Amino acid sequence: KYRQWIDRKVAQYQPLVPGARDELPETIHFRASGDCWIVEQLDAACAMHAAADDGRLRLVGDRSSSSAARQALQRFMMEHAYAILVPRLEQLSAEHRLPFAMVQIRRQRTRWGSCSRRGTISLNACLLFQSPAVVRYLLLHELAHTRHMNHSRRFWGLVEQLEPRWRELDAELSHGWREVPVWALR
């Protein structure tokens, strides 16, 4: 009975380039910030970690563990998300006088962001793979929840004041999971 809906939802969360679970990328491109790195693996007798400079992202450590390399990439993504998304949220908050209490960067599997009743905004690090316009919309959407903790007409009216193209950007975001590589999700 619900087969079409299930198939649509499964397709929505499938990456455009599937890739194997432990397959590491050759390059990483964060559309939100425009940053791009060529990924290099260097064998060393230390815990796996990522170091970025000069357009290269070096994964340094025991190369026999692809899961350790993936985790190092995920840590790098989380740190970069904090460095990129938090200042943008703070800027939009000040610009539109929509204060929030605190921000968290997480790796949710089905949500791009949320706002708690206490004003804590949680953002998904995978937003880095979205366009700057979509990220801006999502940040404004969550900031609007600091005033309206629902999706009422008043909430959407505020969102429309903040971002007149919200419908188009929301539609783009609903397919945004297809832009997220497999290594970032698992």
Side-chain angles (χ1 to χ4, degrees), residues 130-150:
Q130 307 307 309
S131 72
V134 166
V135 171
R136 182 180 182 279
Y137 157 68
L138 186 276
L139 298 178
L140 290 169
H141 179 111
E142 298 310 331
L143 286 169
H145 279 306
T146 63
R147 193 166 296 157
H148 303 287
M149 284 302 301
N150 52 41

Side-chain angles (χ1 to χ4, degrees), residues 81-100:
Y82 196 87
I84 297 299
L85 299 176
V86 173
R88 289 185 186 178
L89 182 67
E90 290 170 341
Q91 177 188 7
L92 290 169
S93 171
E95 183 180 323
H96 297 287
R97 295 187 186 108
L98 293 168
F100 62 94

